[in-house]
């Protein structure tokens, strides 16, 4: 799963804070979060 939205903004997409917390908990269990701090290439106009 990849997203450019921080966890704090997920509830605006899912419209359910409890579900958002559960998904974030399951997604981050035994994983490595990589935050590059850069803009996505997908947003660049070619």
């Amino acid at each position: 799963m990849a997203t450019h939205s921080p966890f704090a903004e997920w509830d605006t997409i899912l419209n359910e804070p409890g579900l958002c917390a559960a998904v974030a908990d399951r997604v981050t269990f035994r994983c490595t979060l990589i935050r590059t701090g850069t803009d996505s290439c997908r947003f660049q106009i070619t």
Side-chain angles (χ1 to χ4, degrees):
M1 174 180 266
T3 181
H4 292 285
S5 300
F7 292 125
E9 293 178 7
W10 282 21
D11 62 343
T12 61
I13 298 167
L14 299 175
N15 294 324
E16 183 64 42
L19 176 61
C20 177
V23 170
D25 181 57
R26 298 321 184 274
V27 168
T28 59
F29 181 71
R30 293 187 180 176
C31 76
T32 301
L33 297 176
I34 301 171
R35 300 183 74 185
T36 61
T38 59
D39 292 330
S40 170
C41 294
R42 293 185 288 168
F43 295 124
Q44 295 177 356
I45 299 174
T46 57

